[in-house]
């Protein structure tokens, strides 16, 4: 695990000005010096189709290869995501589907920390719960505590996009610390 010393972030929202993008960027600032942090986009990854995946084809689409290669460099993951229809946003689930296939699946056996921000009252609790079967299938190690479920996100960030809620800042710090312990980086 210590070869890369890298944490990769995935944002479940593709929206400009997303609270979850702001949350993920903030979380990245808490990653200790000596551990790289990179947010990996997936907005160009096509909808999963097994006809376009190995072994049906010799090589996956170029955007998928690039995405999977970026994930393969990670010792651990941070996912910050909103909740869509009480579950995982479709774009994020699609990217995870591409990254979960084959013996070289880059998510397998790695620690992951979930964060979520929403303008609603439930703070992405259902989305985070919906991820548990995905993590089980991938034999990932979810860092479950502390839970970071930011409700009413529009009141927790300032105009410059900085997280201002001290309680959630403290929770995120502890979550990152627990992820680093789980990743052994």
């Amino acid at each position: 695990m210590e070869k890369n010393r890298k944490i990769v972030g995935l944002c479940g929202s593709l929206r400009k000005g997303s609270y979850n993008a702001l949350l993920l960027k903030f979380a990245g600032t808490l990653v200790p010096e000596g551990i790289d942090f990179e947010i990996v986009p997936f907005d160009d990854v096509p909808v999963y189709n097994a006809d376009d995946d190995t072994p049906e084809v010799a090589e996956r689409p170029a955007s998928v290869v690039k995405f999977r290669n970026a994930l393969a460099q990670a010792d651990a993951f941070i996912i910050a995501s909103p909740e869509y229809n009480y579950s995982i946003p479709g774009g994020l689930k699609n990217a995870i589907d591409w990254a979960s296939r084959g013996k070289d699946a880059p998510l397998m056996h790695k620690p992951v920390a979930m964060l979520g921000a929403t303008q609603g009252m439930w703070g992405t609790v259902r989305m985070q719960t919906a991820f548990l079967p995905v993590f089980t299938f991938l034999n990932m190690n979810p860092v479950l505590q502390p839970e970071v479920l930011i409700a009413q996100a529009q009141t927790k960030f300032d105009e410059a996009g900085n997280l201002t809620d001290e309680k959630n800042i403290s929770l995120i710090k502890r979550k990152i610390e627990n992820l680093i312990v789980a990743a052994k980086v």
Side-chain angles (χ1 to χ4, degrees):
M1 282 245 177
E2 295 183 20
K3 64 180 178 9
N4 298 325
R5 297 186 54 85
K6 184 171 190 171
I7 296 174
V8 165
L10 297 172
C11 182
S13 175
L14 304 176
R15 182 179 70 81
K16 290 180 184 175
S18 160
Y19 291 115
N20 285 284
L22 296 173
L23 179 59
L24 189 57
K25 286 177 188 172
F26 175 76
T29 69
L30 300 177
V31 171
E33 191 172 316
I35 301 174
D36 292 332
F37 177 74
E38 177 186 7
I39 297 173
V40 175
F42 54 85
D43 55 332
D44 61 345
V45 171
V47 173
Y48 183 78
N49 181 340
D51 291 340
D52 296 329
D53 199 359
T54 59
E56 298 300 317
V57 295
E59 188 168 325
R60 296 174 173 108
S63 61
V64 172
V65 171
K66 180 181 174 187
F67 177 67
R68 288 172 59 99
N69 287 343
L71 298 184
Q73 300 304 308
D75 295 298
F77 298 94
I78 300 172
I79 299 174
S81 181
E83 179 176 293
Y84 291 174
N85 300 317
Y86 292 175
S87 194
I88 304 166
L92 177 58
K93 179 61 169 70
N94 178 66
I96 297 293
D97 288 344
W98 273 111
S100 68
R101 303 294 194 246
K103 292 179 183 177
D104 61 340
L107 299 172
M108 296 290 281
H109 311 289
K110 294 184 182 175
V112 58
M114 290 293 309
L115 315 171
T118 182
Q119 293 185 46
M121 296 296 292
W122 287 90
T124 72
V125 68
R126 292 179 186 111
M127 177 276 301
Q128 292 192 34
T129 301
F131 253 113
L132 294 176
V134 176
F135 296 152
T136 299
F137 175 80
L138 293 169
N139 201 19
M140 293 182 86
N141 177 17
V143 175
L144 301 174
Q145 296 296 323
E147 293 178 309
V148 179
L149 308 160
I150 300 176
Q152 297 182 319
Q154 67 276 18
T155 67
K156 308 291 171 55
F157 292 86
D158 66 19
E159 290 180 14
N162 300 305
L163 182 62
T164 59
D165 184 76
E166 290 300 324
K167 178 183 175 190
N168 280 302
I169 290 170
S170 176
L171 291 172
I172 296 165
K173 285 179 182 177
R174 288 187 13 231
K175 186 87 157 193
I176 299 296
E177 290 167 1
N178 292 345
L179 178 66
I180 290 167
V181 169
K184 300 175 184 154
V185 292

